[in-house]
Structures are given as C-alpha cells and as structure tokens.
Amino acid sequence: LVLDLPVPLAATRTQRALDRIESRGAAYLESVRQAYLSAAAAWPDAIRLVDASPSADVVAKQIAAEVAERATARVTARRACS
C-alpha cells in the first residue's frame, strides 16, 4: 500500500521538525511521490494507492478495506489451486 498525499498538504500536517529527507524540499518530495505513483501505475496488482488526504480515521478504514480485500483474494486463490 502506498499512502498518497500531495506534498503541499503533507507540509501542513507536519507537527515536528523536518527530518533529513523532508528537509530536501518540495521538489524532491514531489519527485519521490511521482516515482511511487509511476510504480503503482506500472504494477497495479502489486501496489495499491490509498488517498491519504482525508482524516486519519477515513484513511485507516481505507487501509483496512484494502487489507481485507487482499486477504480474501489470497485465500480464494489458494483454494482454487488446491
């Protein structure tokens, strides 16, 4: 799972000192974000994007749903192979 959050919004949520990666600036962070988005587009079965812009509760529910979906799919696939 990749939690996707636009860089400007991520900056508004930071409530501590920036770490060495975050200190590299918005352009660097956006390039990293774009790399993750490209990877997710290239491998949609392996990488799922979760929109991290809503509240933490909403994002947590999205994560739980993705995990449950993946777990169900794996169980179903294993049963089909048996």
Side-chain angles (χ1 to χ4, degrees):
L1 296 176
V2 172
L3 303 181
D4 179 41
L5 187 63
V7 173
L9 181 54
T12 67
R13 292 187 178 179
T14 303
Q15 298 178 355
R16 57 172 171 66
L18 299 179
D19 65 24
R20 68 181 180 84
I21 301 297
E22 295 163 335
S23 296
R24 291 185 176 187
Y28 173 78
L29 296 175
E30 185 60 32
S31 71
V32 171
R33 177 178 180 246
Q34 290 304 317
Y36 276 104
L37 294 175
S38 293
W43 298 292
D45 292 336
I47 302 172
R48 297 285 183 139
L49 288 177
V50 174
D51 179 8
S53 58
S55 70
D57 289 339
V58 170
V59 174
K61 287 177 184 171
Q62 291 174 343
I63 291 168
E66 285 288 342
V67 170
E69 180 182 326
R70 289 292 176 117
T72 301
R74 287 187 70 137
V75 169
T76 302
R78 284 188 178 168
R79 286 183 182 157
C81 292
S82 298

